[in-house]
Amino acid sequence: MEFKDYYKTLGVSKSATEKDIKQAYRKLARENHPDVNSGDKGAEKKFQEINEAYEVLSDAENRKKYDQLGSQWRQGGARRGPTGGGANVEFDFSDLFGGGGAAGGDAGGGFSSFFERFFGGGGRRQAGPQPQAQPPSQQVEVEVSLAECYSGTTRHLEITSPQPCPQCRGAGVAGNGICPVCRGAGRQNGTRKLEVRIPVGVTQGSKVKAQDVVILVNVKADPDYEIKGRDLIRKVSVDLYGAVLGTEIKFKTPLGKEVSLKVPAESQNGRSFRLSAQGLPAAAGKQAGDLYVKLEVTLPTKLTDREKELFQELARLRA
Ligand SMILES: [Zn+2]
């Protein structure tokens, strides 16, 4: 990448004041403006360079970074470690500019790769009106309860994302120069409210689209239900006598409805019962899941002498 001498581009000295820079820019911009040099590719390129130089030098913070960068650049991109005695430490320029650097070449933006790397920060635009680019979609995670997967729900989100600059409407230029509001970026971070309807039948990892935002659904862990795709697994305790002799168990569905289930006699520990289509509801091309009820047999403890006798008798009968 080539180092850009912005002072030279504007024909001013390193010690030029803000006013000097502005004057030089205005004069050069007038001379090289595309409106007065129509079809002159050289003037167009020069106009571009002038705008780029001015964008950096007209901003006190950018100018300071640029001056610092210039001195580092001449040292070949390397400097001594702080102790002075050690190895050369490679200088990472991105540290200087808060990670604002874009990748490599001139990405058709008109400004140089040097500018894009150190001052671009993303969405800078070429001077002159540009077609509105589609902003990239943003992903936001939303946590929902299991019951909400059945019922659907609504969330009100605050989304922060780059918005077209209200001053220049995304062009990056206003009047004869760089837009003062967005400093040529054409975009500014803005917050907007977004109402998101989460439909019936979402599950872990479902994606819901709301405008340009993708909502990634994360289902809150439920104390009673394990979620596997659209199937639900619920463990229900049953005592030894119920498992052996048969019983009826009651439990609540994720929506709070009470369900009773007949447990046949001689049901083993871990036996599972499938309640067809009682899992997560059907949604776009996916069938409703099933609800599995899994028995957990609990054994009696703190047996009395009499109970021990009876168990011993049962054991003898089976021997
Ligand atoms: Zn603007």
Side-chain angles (χ1 to χ4, degrees):
M1 194 179 352
E2 188 193 345
F3 183 81
K4 292 276 174 185
D5 191 338
Y6 290 145
Y7 291 106
K8 201 174 148 197
T9 304
L10 293 182
V12 294
S13 75
K14 277 214 165 137
S15 54
T17 63
E18 222 173 287
K19 203 177 150 202
D20 295 338
I21 289 169
K22 196 169 188 171
Q23 272 174 354
Y25 166 72
R26 282 202 170 150
K27 183 168 171 290
L28 288 167
R30 257 199 312 276
E31 286 168 12
N32 295 280
H33 199 279
D35 289 354
V36 297
N37 296 277
S38 79
D40 182 345
K41 286 280 167 208
E44 201 178 298
K45 188 161 179 289
K46 182 100 177 112
F47 184 66
Q48 210 58 265
E49 285 169 3
I50 294 160
N51 274 307
E52 178 177 320
Y54 185 64
E55 163 110 26
V56 173
L57 296 186
S58 64
D59 180 90
E61 205 181 313
N62 274 348
R63 187 177 175 185
K64 206 172 126 200
K65 286 176 185 175
Y66 175 76
D67 289 342
Q68 195 184 351
L69 179 62
S71 60
Q72 297 290 352
W73 202 278
R74 268 180 278 286
Q75 287 166 26
R79 64 176 179 186
R80 293 253 156 211
T83 55
N88 274 334
V89 177
E90 171 123 21
F91 193 82
D92 181 359
F93 290 108
S94 64
D95 287 352
L96 264 180
F97 306 110
D106 292 292
F111 283 1
S112 68
S113 54
F114 173 82
F115 177 89
E116 295 296 344
R117 175 74 178 83
F118 298 114
F119 302 97
R124 306 269 171 171
R125 273 149 196 281
Q126 188 174 7
Q130 292 282 300
Q132 257 326 314
Q134 195 64 29
S137 58
Q138 211 177 342
Q139 187 160 292
V140 177
E141 203 174 297
V142 164
E143 198 175 60
V144 302
S145 69
L146 186 55
E148 286 172 322
C149 293
Y150 278 83
S151 61
T153 186
T154 301
R155 288 283 189 283
H156 294 90
L157 305 177
E158 282 218 333
I159 306 288
T160 302
S161 61
Q163 306 287 316
C165 169
Q167 177 74 23
C168 63
R169 296 174 192 277
V173 284
N176 241 354
I178 302 265
C179 168
V181 173
C182 63
R183 308 212 59 83
R187 302 197 146 259
Q188 281 194 308
N189 262 350
T191 305
R192 69 196 148 117
K193 288 187 161 54
L194 187 62
E195 187 182 286
V196 180
R197 179 75 202 148
I198 312 263
V200 171
V202 292
T203 183
Q204 182 65 33
S206 289
K207 284 177 178 173
V208 178
K209 218 162 178 262
Q211 294 172 14
D212 58 327
V213 180
V214 175
I215 287 93
L216 180 68
V217 174
N218 184 21
V219 183
K220 228 180 287 176
D222 189 280
D224 296 326
Y225 286 94
E226 186 189 336
I227 307 167
K228 277 199 170 159
R230 310 191 85 74
D231 293 338
L232 298 182
I233 300 156
R234 160 121 204 194
K235 288 178 182 155
V236 177
S237 296
V238 57
D239 65 21
L240 175 67
Y241 314 103
V244 172
L245 304 172
T247 186
E248 192 172 295
I249 50 174
K250 286 185 164 53
F251 63 94
K252 282 189 173 156
T253 67
L255 281 176
K257 196 179 124 195
E258 198 165 76
V259 174
S260 57
L261 177 78
K262 260 193 162 33
V263 176
E266 299 177 18
S267 288
Q268 293 289 346
N269 181 43
R271 180 170 180 179
S272 135
F273 300 86
R274 185 167 73 105
L275 305 181
S276 179
Q278 298 294 301
L280 288 173
K286 301 267 171 62
Q287 287 189 322
D290 297 328
L291 172 57
Y292 291 89
V293 179
K294 196 173 175 187
L295 294 187
E296 278 190 329
V297 178
T298 52
L299 301 182
T301 55
K302 295 178 184 153
L303 299 180
T304 62
D305 289 346
R306 174 72 182 135
E307 285 172 319
K308 274 183 204 158
E309 260 176 47
L310 290 170
F311 274 110
Q312 276 156 1
E313 195 177 336
L314 283 171
R316 274 195 302 276
L317 285 172
R318 283 272 161 169

